[in-house]
Amino acid sequence: MPRTTIVLLLAFSAATLALDNGLMRTPPMGWLAWERFRCDIDCENDPKNCISEVLFKDMADRLAEDGWRELGYVYINIDDCWSSKERDAHGRLQADPKRFPSGIDKLARYVHDRGLKLGIYGDLGTYTCGGYPGTTLDKIEIDAQTFAEWGIDMLKLDGCYSNATEQEQGYPLMTKALNATGRPIGYSCSWPAYQGGLPPKVNYTLLGDICNLWRNYGDIQDSWDSVLSIVDWFTDHQDILQPAAGPGRWNDPDMLIIGDYGLSIDQSRSQMALWAIMAAPLFMSNDLRTINSGARAILQNKVAIAINQDPLGIQGRRLVKEKSGIDVFWRPLSKGASALVFFSRRSDMPFRYKTSLKALNYAAGSYEVYDVFLEKPMPVLKDTTEFVVSVNPSGVVMWLVLPSTRWQQGAAHLSKKPTGPKFYQRQQLVDSPFVL
Ligand SMILES: *[C@@H]1O[C@H](CO)[C@@H](O)[C@H](O)[C@H]1NC(C)=O
Ligand SMILES: *[C@@H]1O[C@H](CO)[C@@H](O)[C@H](O)[C@H]1NC(C)=O
Ligand SMILES: *[C@@H]1O[C@H](CO)[C@@H](O)[C@H](O)[C@H]1NC(C)=O
């Protein structure tokens, strides 16, 4: 594709409308219980890890005290298996009284007191995937009202035990019901994942109008195979998915499993880099009480987060798929910046990949490069300069790229220790669009 076409396509996606609740103008970040803690309800034998208010208070404390909140990880989200098996006498959902003795409203207050936001899980259907009471069409309003009264800030609405007709009616009805509560509640729809994730069954224009984010594809599991299958599906279908994303409306490739059991350090960097390039929501599902320092450093990488949170909200794309097993991803950022990810699918040894910025569609000029995981600036590159990146097996090299002239004013921030996710303050850079 000629590069002007790519730019126009990308620019157009950012201009589309979004769900009118004003939320999630950049991809939401936080912590979500499911992948790591599933439906463990055995609080007698596993009190620290079961789905209970103890778990969510512990994680809220960690988010607030260990530097996560300041980086943007502000949502703490409950998933399935939180509720009682029965609705109450008024037909309202209620938390399991043994595992959430204080109730969800008190938990919401606890979370809010720490500067965080509380998310909850529901399912448009007769049951949740775990067999708890579902939100059938006639229960949509009462459940939205209940969540709002509790002080909930985000709802993930799953789709088990519902059919296509009910989904087509139910997902937009929940948008209306949430809006009618008057409380801004971020809305994550699992709808496309239940319809194969692709048109004609899935209408991404409609999804962007009614949901802040949506799960397109199957659940992530704690393995590299799972991460890779998700990356493959999202890149194979990027022509459909990439234009669907923008401020307030995001494709969700599912949780970050960095800090769990399935990924090496290199694979963890790959997940972080690729999720950042894809403008994906960053919901960690791990144990923040025991996470190791290597995983923490990757998840707290300020430049990777800044790339993910870029205010233009343009999802990146795979530009190149080499026979050698190297893929190159690119994402345009505000103020003329961009991000590149060199990703290796190889399983032998670090691969020395040779290319130039010109070969990657960059315009004539000089560019300064910051290596995101080495956390240091690289020598200035001319567009025509051939360079070699050494990419580890199943690993990445991730770069933040700025045109040299614009860099001058922003570079000081990079050579100092970054102090926050917006450290490469964009107003420091010359305010002109990046012309490829
Ligand atoms: C409800 O929708 C209206 C218009 O569509 C919007 O202005 C308002 O902010 C929304 N309110 C909430 C709480 O989402
Ligand atoms: C979907 O479920 C409803 C019951 O809620 C039923 O009336 C309808 O026939 C079902 N539609 C399909 C296409 O299976
Ligand atoms: C998709 O949804 C949008 C917004 O509701 C609508 O205008 C459009 O006609 C739909 N497209 C198809 C192919 O149904």
Side-chain angles (χ1 to χ4, degrees), residues 29 68 71 73 224 227 231 255-258 263 265-284 295-309 331 341 372-373 396 398:
M29 298 171 63
W68 301 101
L71 290 166
Y73 291 100
W224 175 243
V227 172
V231 169
M255 293 159 274
L256 295 167
I257 56 165
I258 298 163
L263 303 187
I265 283 286
D266 275 294
Q267 292 162 351
S268 300
R269 286 180 179 154
S270 295
Q271 195 190 16
M272 190 72 186
L274 293 167
W275 263 235
I277 277 278
M278 288 193 287
L282 300 180
F283 286 106
M284 306 178 281
R296 179 195 307 260
I298 293 166
L299 290 162
Q300 296 196 343
N301 184 296
K302 293 187 173 90
V303 184
I305 292 172
I307 290 168
N308 174 266
Q309 294 289 299
R331 179 177 172 186
V341 170
V372 174
F373 291 111
V396 287
M398 185 178 205

Side-chain angles (χ1 to χ4, degrees), residues 126 136-137 162-166 169:
T126 38
T136 44
L137 297 180
S162 64
N163 66 34
T165 315
E166 293 163 314
Q169 295 175 343

Side-chain angles (χ1 to χ4, degrees), residues 20-21 179 182-184:
D20 204 3
N21 61 8
N179 181 277
R183 184 176 176 84

Side-chain angles (χ1 to χ4, degrees), residues 203 205-206 209:
N203 180 340
T205 310
L206 174 62
D209 293 344

Side-chain angles (χ1 to χ4, degrees), residues 201-247:
K201 284 192 176 172
V202 176
N203 180 340
Y204 279 105
T205 310
L206 174 62
L207 275 171
D209 293 344
I210 66 164
C211 312
N212 293 115
L213 59 156
W214 47 82
R215 284 283 312 285
N216 315 63
Y217 190 64
D219 285 0
I220 199 163
Q221 309 295 337
D222 194 359
S223 76
W224 175 243
D225 279 356
S226 174
V227 172
L228 196 55
S229 74
I230 290 171
V231 169
D232 283 342
W233 189 85
F234 276 79
T235 47
D236 286 349
H237 301 296
Q238 64 181 1
D239 289 347
I240 291 161
L241 304 177
Q242 189 274 334

Side-chain angles (χ1 to χ4, degrees), residues 345-414:
R345 300 167 168 279
R346 298 175 68 94
S347 53
D348 51 357
M349 61 184 283
F351 184 80
R352 292 172 54 76
Y353 177 65
K354 190 174 183 184
T355 187
S356 68
L357 291 177
K358 186 173 167 52
L360 299 173
N361 285 333
Y362 280 74
S366 291
Y367 294 87
E368 296 226 21
V369 173
Y370 182 83
D371 187 304
V372 174
F373 291 111
L374 288 182
E375 299 188 40
K376 62 176 193 195
M378 310 299 282
V380 173
L381 281 180
K382 279 218 168 93
D383 61 299
T384 49
T385 311
E386 293 213 305
F387 59 84
V388 172
V389 282
S390 176
V391 194
N392 294 347
S394 63
V396 287
V397 168
M398 185 178 205
W399 283 1
L400 172 65
V401 181
L402 289 179
S404 209
T405 48
R406 285 164 214 165
W407 179 272
Q408 307 296 321
Q409 297 118 72
H413 292 261
L414 282 175

